Amino acid sequence: MYAFTTDVTRKWSRATVALGLVLATLALVACNDDPGRTPSTSSISGQDLDGAPRVTETLEIDVELGDLYIEPATIQLEAGQSLLANVSNVGVLPHDFRLDEAGTRMLNGGESETVEFGPFEQSVQIICTVPGHAAAGMIMNVEVVGAPVAANGDGHHGGASGEPFAQVRPNATPGPEWEPFDPVLPPAVGTGGTLHQIQLDATEVVLEVAPGVTQEMWTFNDQVPGPVLRGKVGDVFEITLTNRGRLGHSIDFHASKVAWDQEMRTLAPGESLVYRFEAKHAGVYMYHCGTAPALHHIGNGMWGAIIIDPPVLAEVDREFIFIQSEFYLGPEGEPGDLGKMQRDEWDIVVFNAYHNQYAHAPIRIEAHERIRAHVLNVGPSENSSFHIVGTIFDTVYKEGAYLLRPDEMRGGSQALDLQPAQGGFVEFEMDAEGLYLMVTHKFSNVGKGAMGIFQAGDVEVGDVAH
Ligand SMILES: [Cu+2]
C-alpha cells in the first residue's frame, strides 16, 4: 500500500492513476502522510460516466520561462500522453522551450507561444537552447512514470552537441599561421581630459586557445582579450557597443561609476548602446560582458583590460599587459562548458588567452631595462599569484595603491596576488642576460598553460615550453 506514497503518487500524477475510489482513498492517505505535497487536478479534464477521474490523452500546462529557470521544473506523465504547453517568457533575455525538432521559436521577454510535444514513451528534458541556459537550470524534466531518463541539453554530460570535450595536447606547438597576442602596452594617449571614442562589437567567433584546440569564444571585436584600453584619471570614455552576435550581450567597465540597469543592460542582436563615463580613479581594471549567466560569458572570453593611469607615473623602458584567465573547454569549436565553470573544473589557465602563449613566443627584452608589467586576473573564478622566476619586484601597485616602492627599506616582492577582477602592476629589472619564466605561483596551474618566457638579451631560448 505504501508504494503509492512514492514517486508514482507524487504531484498531479497521484490523481491520474485513476484506479477508482480505492486508489483515491490511498492518495488521500498519502497526502495526509506528507502535508507538504499539494495534489493538483491539472491532469483531469473530465470524468468517466461513473464519476471516476480519467487520464486525458494530452496534458495542458502553463510553462514560465524566466531568466535562467523554467517553471514547473518537473512534470509527470503517463506513457502515451502528450503535452500541450502554453509557454510564456517572463524574463528579460530571449529564451525558447525545445525538445529536438519540437518547441517554440525564440521568444523575447513578454512573448508567448503554445506548442505540443509527444506523445511520450520515455522520460526526457525540454530545455532552453540558448547556449548555457540549460546548464544554468533552464530544464523541465518530463518524467514518464516508470520510464528511463533520456539525456538532453548541455548539462553535465558533455557539450550541447553531445561531442566529447576538446583536449589540450601538452606537446603540441602552434601552426605557422598562429600569431601571439602582442603583450606590449602602448603609453596612455590621454592627458586627463581626453575623450576616448571607441567602437566595440560583441561577437561569437571560433578562436584557437591552445595548439590545435579551438573554441567558440564570445568576444569584443573578434579577439580575446578584447582591445586593451588606456587613459588617465579625468579622461572620458565613450564606448559604442554593438551586438553583432546571435546571443544577448552587454558590457560592464569596472573603471566606471554608472547605473547598472542603464549602461550595463543586455543588448539583443543588432542593438547598440553608448556607454559613457569619466575615469575618476586609477587602476588596472577589467571590463566584461555581464549578461546572464555572466559566468558563461566571462568564462567564454568576453573580457578585456582598461587601464587608468594615476596622475603621476614613473618612466620605464617597456610596458606589458598580462591578463590571466582560465578556460573550461567545450567540444572542439563549441563554447566553453558552463557545467565545468560551475564546478571550478578549468582545463587550462592562460596569459592573454592562449595556452603557454609566451613560451611559444618569448618576450624579448634587455637586461637592466626597467620593465612595468600590468597584470589583471579576469578569472572567472581562479586566483593568480604572478611571479617571475629569477627577479624581484621593487614596485608593486595593486587595486589602486602602491604596496611597495623603492626606498631605503629595500623591500622586495616575489608575487602579485590577484583574486578574480583584481589588477595592478609590478616593476622590475633582469640583472643578467638569460631566460626568465613568468608563471602564476599557484603551481598546479603552470602545467595547465600559465607560463611564459622573458628572453633578456640575445640568448638561446630552446624548447622551454615542453
Ligand atoms: Cu556576452
Side-chain angles (χ1 to χ4, degrees):
M1 282 176 61
Y2 280 102
F4 291 104
T5 68
T6 62
D7 282 355
V8 174
T9 56
R10 281 173 60 193
K11 300 181 182 171
W12 65 270
S13 68
R14 174 163 53 229
T16 71
V17 178
L19 294 179
L21 285 174
V22 174
L23 191 57
T25 305
L26 285 173
L28 282 173
V29 170
C31 188
N32 290 337
D33 283 346
D34 184 353
R37 292 175 180 169
T38 306
S40 162
T41 56
S42 62
S43 67
I44 303 171
S45 64
Q47 290 188 326
D48 288 340
L49 289 177
D50 62 1
R54 63 176 166 79
V55 178
T56 57
E57 293 295 308
T58 299
L59 171 67
E60 182 171 352
I61 61 169
D62 293 332
V63 174
E64 184 175 303
L65 306 179
D67 287 334
L68 307 184
Y69 70 86
I70 295 178
E71 187 64 40
T74 302
I75 63 165
Q76 291 180 321
L77 293 174
E78 299 294 314
Q81 271 198 304
S82 296
L83 181 67
L84 188 67
N86 303 311
V87 184
S88 300
N89 180 1
V90 301
V92 173
L93 304 172
H95 300 292
D96 63 5
F97 183 68
R98 297 198 61 82
L99 174 65
D100 301 325
E101 298 305 306
T104 70
R105 64 193 158 82
M106 194 62 68
L107 301 174
N108 290 319
E111 293 185 334
S112 299
E113 189 177 342
T114 295
V115 286
E116 189 167 354
F117 299 91
F120 293 99
E121 298 301 335
Q122 63 174 359
S123 297
V124 294
Q125 295 179 325
I126 305 178
I127 66 169
C128 174
T129 65
V130 174
H133 286 198
M138 293 197 70
I139 294 172
M140 188 174 83
N141 293 297
V142 179
E143 297 178 3
V144 174
V145 175
V149 176
N152 196 354
D154 57 353
H156 297 177
H157 309 292
S161 65
E163 296 292 317
F165 294 127
Q167 301 282 335
V168 171
R169 288 170 295 136
N171 293 327
T173 51
E177 306 284 289
W178 178 69
E179 285 187 21
F181 183 90
D182 187 355
V184 172
L185 182 69
V189 294
T191 57
T194 301
L195 173 64
H196 301 258
Q197 289 178 301
I198 296 154
Q199 171 72 42
L200 291 179
D201 294 340
T203 67
E204 299 112 17
V205 294
V206 174
L207 297 175
E208 197 176 66
V209 297
V213 177
T214 61
Q215 295 279 278
E216 181 188 283
M217 306 299 285
W218 303 347
T219 82
F220 295 105
N221 288 10
D222 293 340
Q223 63 178 71
V224 182
V228 179
L229 311 181
R230 191 174 190 185
K232 285 203 165 76
V233 170
D235 284 1
V236 173
F237 287 80
E238 190 178 276
I239 290 103
T240 303
L241 175 67
T242 302
N243 186 353
R244 301 194 192 281
R246 68 178 197 285
L247 307 172
H249 294 296
S250 60
I251 197 163
D252 171 354
F253 287 94
H254 289 190
S256 71
K257 297 173 78 177
V258 297
W260 167 80
D261 61 323
Q262 300 296 318
E263 274 77 357
M264 301 182 197
R265 70 183 185 272
T266 290
L267 301 181
E271 287 186 337
S272 291
L273 67 70
V274 176
Y275 186 125
R276 185 184 166 97
F277 64 94
E278 179 187 340
K280 295 174 179 166
H281 297 278
V284 177
Y285 295 100
M286 172 182 187
Y287 69 85
H288 66 91
C289 174
T291 295
L295 174 63
H296 206 196
H297 288 247
I298 298 170
N300 239 355
M302 271 193 106
W303 41 257
I306 175 164
I307 297 168
I308 307 300
D309 285 356
V312 179
L313 192 59
E315 289 275 316
V316 293
D317 296 307
R318 297 179 197 260
E319 290 188 276
F320 298 102
I321 173 77
F322 301 111
I323 307 176
Q324 181 184 309
S325 70
E326 72 276 5
F327 290 143
Y328 308 73
L329 300 179
E332 190 66 37
E334 294 185 21
D337 186 70
L338 181 57
K340 288 185 184 180
M341 295 176 198
Q342 289 165 329
R343 299 189 299 277
D344 278 355
E345 293 173 357
W346 51 86
D347 296 287
I348 59 177
V349 180
V350 292
F351 293 119
N352 294 347
Y354 196 89
H355 187 267
N356 282 343
Q357 174 145 230
Y358 304 112
H360 295 302
I363 300 161
R364 178 59 200 269
I365 58 172
E366 302 297 338
H368 309 295
E369 280 185 325
R370 188 147 184 87
I371 313 279
R372 177 181 296 129
H374 294 76
V375 187
L376 174 68
N377 179 19
V378 297
S381 302
E382 175 57 325
N383 66 46
S384 177
S385 180
F386 185 80
H387 172 75
I388 298 174
V389 180
T391 194
I392 296 171
F393 310 139
D394 63 36
T395 300
V396 178
Y397 178 92
K398 176 185 171 185
E399 288 291 288
Y402 281 98
L403 302 184
L404 178 67
R405 301 181 89 164
D407 64 16
E408 71 284 0
M409 301 304 285
R410 301 195 62 79
S413 169
Q414 61 207 297
L416 172 59
D417 59 312
L418 299 171
Q419 288 294 328
Q422 292 193 315
F425 60 74
V426 292
E427 295 174 11
F428 54 92
E429 304 169 12
M430 309 314 192
D431 283 0
E433 290 196 344
L435 303 181
Y436 296 82
L437 294 185
M438 169 180 90
V439 297
T440 171
H441 220 283
K442 176 166 179 172
F443 251 89
S444 60
N445 286 332
V446 177
K448 293 178 181 158
M451 202 258 280
I453 300 168
F454 286 96
Q455 178 189 10
D458 195 13
V459 294
E460 190 80 15
V461 174
D463 198 19
V464 184
H466 310 140

